[in-house]
Amino acid sequence: MNRVDHVGLRVFLGLAAAFLVLGVSTALGQAVAGGSVAGVVTDPTGAAVANATVTMTETEKQAPHTTVTDTTGHYVFAELPVGPYRLEVKAQGFKDYIQTGIELQVGSNVTTNVALQLGNLSQTVEVQANAAMVETRNSNVAQVINEKQINDLPLNGRYATQLILLSGAAITAQPSGQDMVGSKNFYSSTTISVGGGEVNSMNYLLDGGYNVDTFTNVNMPFPFPDALQEFSVESSTLPAQYGEHPGGVMNAVTKSGTNGFHGDLFDYLRNGDFNARGYFATARDTLKRNQYGGTLGGRIIKDKLFFFGGFQGTPTRTNPPSTISYVPTAAVIAGDFSQIDSGACTSNHKTRQLKNPFTGAAFAGNQIPVSMFDPAAVKFLQYLPQATNACGQVTYGIPANNNEYETVGRVDWVASSKQTIFARYFIDDYTLNASFLPNNALVTKNPGNAERAQTITLGDTYTLSPTMLNSAHFTFERRRDNRGPAAQGISPKSIGSNVFSQDPNFLALTVTGYFQTYCGTCNS
């Protein structure tokens, strides 16, 4: 068994070389895991109000983020977690200002200007209407897929990447002659072209962390829909922070805990017994896929520390399609090739005349003395199924049953009104069992596969001043792919052949036009 072990490590911002967010600008080279709000606070005459206290409060966590306006009345909140907010502005000699209904989306940059009214601090002006979130700083084209769409739209296999196709000019494609997704990638990786870009030029982000398999620049797996808060798809004139992959950006954010406990249990069952038979089909679909699991989020310390976790299991079973091969018949094993090499059995319907490879003389009646058979070949016959007709035909199925288990966990800490910290871990295990039958080695043609993908993202956002913010993200990803035959397989030594095999349960054998065992990627 040979293991493909791929590790990717990205530090978007380190403590030694952190980017600073100045004014209302976004740090170049930084992945955005949340939204940003900026604006100007003015008095009734339109003059700037300096030193006004501005607070953005996450309504589900009651977590405040506070800053003050500068001498020009400007304020900025960068890298706020996605979700609903309440904006509060206080200044000496003015009525308090409160605005609710602000919804921040991933990657959004919105402007909310505030005009204060003269009055006492005990007086309040409250705006309850939902604010229109208008992108004001980026010229790229973006579409946000929210939580309701992620969970309500039909997804075959519940892969969130399928929702990228809802964006304009997004298609699944595979370059001719190029293997962008294959046996060395995670099984669920896909190739998507956005706006005519190359299929491996998409940038995939999860919680602001790199989520790209750098082997061929396709996506690493994303958590199941119940664990995702939302994601955006951006294309066309992307900002410099996404310059590494110009084709487009999928920016996903996992759910986080709140002061209230929330979660769900789910079980999505696909079974042919529940389906009607297709009009032209002779039988019902045999796919049996059960996707079950649940999520739970809540508080550890009210208003300060929150958790979220989720799990999904996906066992998949199906009746394998029929495969036809040809094996030696009882007559062939006795040395009689007259039938199997007659026009009734050959592909061109012409009788083949067998000749002695040492002398060149024809074998009379296509009869070969069994004494000329190789002992190893004869011993190998015990691993082949019995022929069902005179031409040696056999029909069989190669099982392709698999299991996948996903687990995600996240912790958010509101350290202060100026600092928030989070950590998220995601692991995805996929197993496709290799097959072996003692009396049918033909089922070994598909390789077994044990894959594991893991990602960790740590984030720290700290407001240094009204016009300066430091946002640091650390991302680690690792993908492992173990391929190999079943533990009960056969080897050259099993049939008495002195041929080296690195794997003790592997014997690749191809008889052109007849049958094959194992494959080129079954142990590599």
Side-chain angles (χ1 to χ4, degrees):
M1 180 180 294
N2 186 24
R3 185 177 79 173
V4 176
D5 200 345
H6 173 64
V7 177
L9 177 62
R10 286 300 174 100
V11 179
F12 284 111
L13 291 176
L15 296 179
F19 285 93
L20 299 180
V21 180
L22 302 177
V24 295
S25 63
T26 302
L28 297 180
Q30 178 187 348
V32 179
S36 300
V37 177
V40 180
V41 179
T42 59
D43 63 16
T45 67
V49 178
N51 297 318
T53 301
V54 184
T55 303
M56 288 284 290
T57 303
E58 300 177 58
T59 57
E60 293 182 340
K61 298 178 182 177
Q62 293 303 310
H65 305 268
T66 303
T67 187
V68 296
T69 57
D70 60 14
T71 56
T72 64
H74 284 88
Y75 72 92
V76 60
F77 293 96
E79 278 291 289
L80 291 178
V82 298
Y85 281 84
R86 180 178 68 254
L87 171 66
E88 299 178 63
V89 181
K90 296 183 179 182
Q92 188 69 32
F94 296 92
K95 297 179 182 179
D96 289 353
Y97 178 91
I98 298 177
Q99 181 173 333
T100 59
I102 298 176
E103 187 80 24
L104 287 188
Q105 297 178 326
V106 59
S108 62
N109 299 280
V110 298
T111 298
T112 302
N113 297 322
V114 176
L116 296 179
Q117 298 180 16
L118 295 175
N120 298 323
L121 288 175
S122 59
Q123 296 176 301
T124 301
V125 176
E126 185 171 351
V127 179
Q128 296 181 340
N130 290 339
M133 298 292 99
V134 179
E135 176 62 55
T136 60
R137 285 156 47 194
N138 289 334
S139 61
N140 53 304
V141 178
Q143 178 176 352
V144 174
I145 309 298
N146 59 36
E147 179 184 4
K148 180 175 176 59
Q149 292 171 310
I150 292 175
N151 284 282
D152 290 353
L153 291 173
L155 290 175
N156 185 18
R158 310 193 78 217
Y159 301 119
T161 49
Q162 295 177 11
L163 294 177
I164 298 176
L165 301 177
L166 295 178
S167 303
I171 60 171
T172 56
Q174 178 69 32
S176 177
Q178 299 184 36
D179 185 15
M180 295 296 181
V181 288
S183 61
K184 293 181 176 63
N185 299 101
F186 202 83
Y187 88 100
S188 60
S189 296
T190 185
T191 50
I192 297 178
S193 171
V194 175
E198 295 182 0
V199 297
N200 66 336
S201 65
M202 280 282 292
N203 197 1
Y204 297 92
L205 303 174
L206 181 61
D207 295 321
Y210 203 63
N211 205 51
V212 176
D213 183 350
T214 54
F215 184 75
T216 54
N217 285 335
V218 296
N219 64 290
M220 291 278 283
F222 283 89
F224 52 96
D226 296 72
L228 291 178
Q229 178 68 30
E230 64 184 36
F231 69 86
S232 68
V233 179
E234 301 179 43
S235 63
S236 179
T237 62
L238 297 176
Q241 66 198 43
Y242 303 132
E244 185 177 4
H245 298 278
V249 179
M250 176 184 176
N251 193 352
V253 178
T254 56
K255 290 182 179 179
S256 61
T258 62
N259 275 323
F261 291 94
H262 59 88
D264 68 338
L265 295 174
F266 59 86
D267 193 336
Y268 296 88
L269 177 63
R270 177 172 175 177
N271 192 304
D273 292 339
F274 300 147
N275 301 334
R277 180 174 57 85
Y279 185 80
F280 295 103
T282 59
R284 287 190 177 94
D285 180 9
T286 64
L287 177 63
K288 299 176 178 64
R289 182 172 60 208
N290 186 27
Q291 295 186 282
Y292 62 91
T295 63
L296 179 63
R299 67 178 183 272
I300 301 174
I301 301 176
K302 186 177 181 180
D303 298 341
K304 298 290 291 185
L305 191 61
F306 309 89
F307 76 93
F308 177 84
F311 168 81
Q312 175 178 278
T314 308
T316 302
R317 304 291 182 265
T318 183
N319 295 340
S322 297
T323 301
I324 296 176
S325 296
Y326 294 87
V327 298
T329 63
V332 169
I333 296 174
D336 183 2
F337 288 76
S338 59
Q339 175 62 38
I340 201 171
D341 282 313
S342 67
C345 294
T346 58
S347 58
N348 60 3
H349 303 295
K350 295 182 180 180
T351 299
R352 286 192 293 259
Q353 176 59 58
L354 303 182
K355 296 182 179 180
N356 189 318
F358 302 105
T359 64
F363 287 110
N366 278 343
Q367 302 281 331
I368 300 178
V370 295
S371 60
M372 298 184 65
F373 289 172
D374 183 273
V378 173
K379 192 171 183 179
F380 177 78
L381 295 177
Q382 64 180 307
Y383 297 105
L384 294 179
Q386 294 183 355
T388 57
N389 65 15
C391 295
Q393 179 175 307
V394 291
T395 303
Y396 57 97
I398 302 176
N401 298 330
N402 60 79
N403 299 290
E404 182 177 14
Y405 301 101
E406 303 175 53
T407 304
V408 61
R410 174 170 174 153
V411 175
D412 290 80
W413 179 32
V414 182
S416 68
S417 62
K418 293 185 176 181
Q419 185 180 25
T420 58
I421 299 171
F422 80 89
R424 189 264 307 147
Y425 174 69
F426 173 59
I427 182 171
D428 191 338
D429 282 315
Y430 170 81
T431 303
L432 173 64
N433 295 322
S435 299
F436 176 76
L437 295 174
N439 60 349
N440 188 357
L442 305 185
V443 300
T444 61
K445 287 193 295 185
N446 285 354
N449 205 356
E451 304 185 42
R452 167 172 286 187
Q454 302 176 83
T455 61
I456 300 173
T457 297
L458 307 176
D460 183 355
T461 302
Y462 190 88
T463 302
L464 301 172
S465 74
T467 57
M468 187 176 297
L469 177 141
N470 180 71
S471 182
H473 281 78
F474 173 88
T475 302
F476 174 85
E477 65 180 33
R478 178 176 181 177
R479 183 177 59 80
R480 185 186 69 195
D481 189 349
N482 289 5
R483 296 190 303 274
Q488 306 85 3
I490 56 178
S491 69
K493 291 184 178 180
S494 302
I495 59 175
S497 178
N498 189 23
V499 176
F500 172 76
S501 176
Q502 183 177 0
D503 195 302
N505 306 304
F506 180 78
L507 176 60
L509 178 63
T510 299
V511 181
T512 304
Y514 289 89
F515 66 87
Q516 172 189 337
T517 62
Y518 296 94
C519 62
T521 59
C522 288
N523 75 331
S524 62

